[in-house]
Amino acid sequence: MTAPLLLASNRGPVSFEEDGLGGLAPRRGGGGLVSAVAGASAVGDAHWVCAALSEADRAALRQGRVPAGVQMLDIDPVTFDRAYNRVANATLWFVAHLLFDTATAPVFTSRTQREWSAYRAYGEAFTDALAAAAAPGAAVLVQDYHLALTPRQLRARRPDLRIGHFSHTPWAPPEYFCLLPDDVAREVLLGMLGADAVGFHSARWADAFARCCVEVLGAAWTQGALTFEGRTTRLGVHPLGIDAVELRTRAAEPDVQGRLPLLRELVGDRQLLLRIDRTELSKNIVRGIEAYRELLRERPQWRRRVVHLVLAYPSRHDLPEYRSYTGEVQRIAREVNEEFAEDGWLPLHLEVRDDYPRSLAAYELADVLLVNPLRDGMNLVAKEGPVLSEKGVSLVLSRQAGAADELGDDAHLVNPYDVAQTAQALHEALSTPADVRLARCSRLADAARAMPPAQWLQAQLSALPAAPAGS
Ligand code: G6P
């Protein structure tokens, strides 16, 4: 019992891969959560509890390769699969992003209860580790929908701890949240209310969560706090931003700069329309490409004058929905090139191989950045782009991204379902004069760095009750 600050998240700061030579290579964990938490300087002294995500992680654990400060839990693979793939990603994630095609899904059966028990057990594994490692009165910051139950479980075990929970996703309104089986819906909300403070990236998601607590549990919601059964949980909005200095320093490194010549060659003297996403169902990549096709069809003046670079990196390939979505992205990308390619002009380049330095290099060159998620907790691509842009990038942004709260004034906001409107916004973005782009981009970059990760983490800590004297 030594750690004064603990973090808990499913994915940790590092995961391992087979290197093809019989060894294991460490990789930085992907996604918004890890970028956020790992970017905060206080994390250096924290004890970070995460799950082993693969056989390679388990092997690294056995070989003692996991770095100091990180505690990787070896959860039984069947329990992990049910908790992570079935409950967290195929159910809670879908609810948060309103992703079900409700004519046919979800369907809850007796299997659901088995999966839900696994999710509980997975939460307990984290609770055990945190309860054992935390110093008296320690602060514990639990992250995301994978660990909704842990705050309450942990409070029962260690009432001395100061517990926060932060959601990196959106939250569903009560009428959608109540698709969940009644007992599951209650347990999720009760689990999170076990924290002293719950946080979200946007007031829209915090309000939706509060409305769920009022309608499902009958909690009282007043002045940024929820009270239920005599306990009060603070409700916070902490919109994560970018550490601009760190990002620019990283982008100046040789591996990033070395990617520029090839990209410049690919773009030539045309405008670069860029998107960068993990291939998650919520990112709306297919409608984004559809909008580009509409632009080229309806406004032929842009043919040969634009190159669309789609960096769509693999994500969650254990879920069949994700594998088939990636197939859809590849199909529509092919169709666009078949329809419009001409000698010397390939309208669309799709890259599915993850290459972080290339992404940073592409930000530098982009003329227009398309970020059109159906729904997104924050979306850091919308913030990284303006910070790294050299010439002043125009941002086309979904109003359903948390980032729209802060960036909306200087972005071309779109309804992500409306392909025609998105095509129109692409046209306007591509047509914006350079001086206007530059001025807007500089305001976007200012907004993007308003709450860098260190400050964001500090905001979560400040929302907790004061530390006991002498700790
Ligand atoms: C994105 C979301 C986070 C989530 C993460 C998990 O980054 O914004 O809310 O925690 O995905 O991704 P994973 O690859 O670990 O399933």
Side-chain angles (χ1 to χ4, degrees):
M1 296 221 300
T2 53
L5 171 60
L6 298 94
L7 298 159
S9 62
N10 172 67
R11 186 178 288 277
V14 63
S15 57
F16 292 82
E17 278 180 349
E18 321 273 345
D19 63 5
L21 305 164
L24 295 168
R27 263 182 80 88
R28 185 182 157 149
L33 184 158
V34 169
S35 320
V37 181
S41 44
V43 168
D45 307 321
H47 181 84
W48 190 333
V49 180
C50 59
L53 304 178
S54 61
E55 281 315 310
D57 279 358
R58 291 192 178 89
L61 195 53
R62 284 192 299 273
Q63 293 169 18
R65 300 273 306 273
V66 176
V70 177
Q71 182 179 0
M72 218 181 235
L73 305 178
D74 186 354
I75 297 169
D76 149 68
V78 174
T79 305
F80 179 78
D81 175 61
R82 288 177 178 164
Y84 173 67
N85 285 316
R86 302 316 319 160
V87 176
N89 285 343
T91 307
L92 299 181
W93 167 276
F94 270 59
V95 169
H97 293 82
L98 318 184
L99 277 179
F100 284 114
D101 186 356
T102 53
T104 53
V107 178
F108 297 115
T109 63
S110 50
R111 205 172 81 176
T112 311
Q113 286 307 326
R114 270 204 308 279
E115 292 168 349
W116 185 249
S117 304
Y119 180 80
R120 245 190 230 132
Y122 159 97
E124 286 287 1
F126 276 79
T127 300
D128 287 346
L130 294 165
V140 184
L141 300 180
V142 180
Q143 306 293 306
D144 239 351
Y145 56 97
H146 315 85
L147 294 172
L149 306 185
T150 296
R152 182 176 162 95
Q153 293 168 345
L154 188 57
R155 176 163 307 285
R157 296 269 291 281
R158 291 285 307 271
D160 61 303
L161 299 179
R162 300 172 299 124
I163 306 169
H165 186 280
F166 192 89
S167 294
H168 294 257
T169 60
W171 198 268
E175 55 279 19
Y176 198 91
F177 184 76
C178 288
L179 292 182
L180 288 172
D182 293 354
D183 52 340
V184 170
R186 276 183 69 83
E187 214 174 317
V188 165
L189 300 173
L190 284 173
M192 287 170 65
L193 289 185
D196 295 294
V198 293
F200 295 86
H201 285 307
S202 163
R204 286 182 277 167
W205 320 141
D207 285 1
F209 174 77
R211 287 195 289 121
C212 287
C213 291
V214 171
E215 287 194 25
V216 175
L217 300 177
W221 175 22
T222 43
Q223 301 283 330
L226 287 153
T227 303
F228 184 65
E229 291 181 337
R231 274 202 71 248
T232 295
T233 300
R234 286 176 73 175
L235 191 58
V237 178
H238 314 301
L240 173 68
I242 301 294
D243 183 332
V245 174
E246 199 213 77
L247 189 66
R248 289 198 183 118
T249 308
R250 178 68 188 87
E253 282 178 25
D255 58 344
V256 177
Q257 295 303 308
R259 301 295 202 278
L260 285 169
L262 252 183
L263 286 173
R264 284 210 176 93
E265 197 180 309
L266 180 143
V267 178
D269 56 0
R270 306 183 163 94
Q271 293 205 50
L272 172 59
L273 165 60
L274 174 69
R275 77 172 302 139
I276 305 178
D277 290 294
R278 298 204 298 162
T279 308
E280 283 171 3
L281 303 182
S282 57
K283 300 298 183 187
N284 206 22
I285 302 173
V286 173
R287 282 193 194 80
I289 297 177
E290 199 93 61
Y292 179 55
R293 173 157 72 184
E294 182 120 338
L295 176 84
L296 297 179
R297 277 185 185 159
E298 301 297 319
R299 298 180 186 273
Q301 71 268 31
W302 289 115
R303 294 182 197 168
R304 301 191 69 93
R305 292 177 54 206
V306 183
V307 168
H308 189 9
L309 178 59
V310 177
L311 304 180
Y313 300 143
S315 175
R316 301 183 194 160
H317 269 229
D318 287 339
L319 293 187
E321 293 91 335
Y322 278 68
R323 291 196 297 272
S324 74
Y325 189 70
T326 301
E328 276 291 282
V329 170
Q330 287 165 325
R331 179 191 56 78
I332 188 168
R334 230 180 2 252
E335 281 176 17
V336 168
N337 281 334
E338 279 165 10
E339 185 171 345
F340 297 104
E342 293 175 26
D343 258 358
W345 177 54
L346 190 67
L348 191 152
H349 295 257
L350 170 65
E351 296 283 355
V352 295
R353 193 177 45 83
D354 194 347
D355 184 343
Y356 184 61
R358 179 182 56 196
S359 300
L360 297 186
Y363 280 138
E364 283 187 37
L365 300 183
D367 295 280
V368 175
L369 181 63
L370 174 59
V371 181
N372 66 324
L374 296 174
R375 211 169 152 81
D376 214 333
M378 169 51 73
N379 196 297
L380 292 178
V381 169
K383 292 188 167 180
E384 288 169 351
V387 165
L388 285 188
S389 170
E390 273 183 354
K391 49 181 125 174
V393 71
S394 285
L395 177 64
V396 175
L397 177 62
S398 163
R399 62 189 187 212
Q400 298 297 343
D405 296 355
E406 301 145 275
L407 307 182
D409 288 349
D410 285 292
H412 302 262
L413 286 185
V414 294
N415 166 357
Y417 296 90
D418 191 339
V419 166
Q421 186 196 41
T422 307
Q424 171 67 21
L426 290 177
H427 167 69
E428 284 164 17
L430 287 162
S431 314
T432 306
D435 55 333
V436 179
R437 281 189 201 194
L438 215 51
R440 282 193 184 152
C441 180
S442 116
R443 289 193 295 269
L444 288 170
D446 286 347
R449 52 174 173 249
M451 194 185 276
Q455 209 176 313
W456 168 81
L457 199 88
Q458 197 50 54
Q460 286 180 66
L461 287 173
S462 306
L464 299 179
S471 73

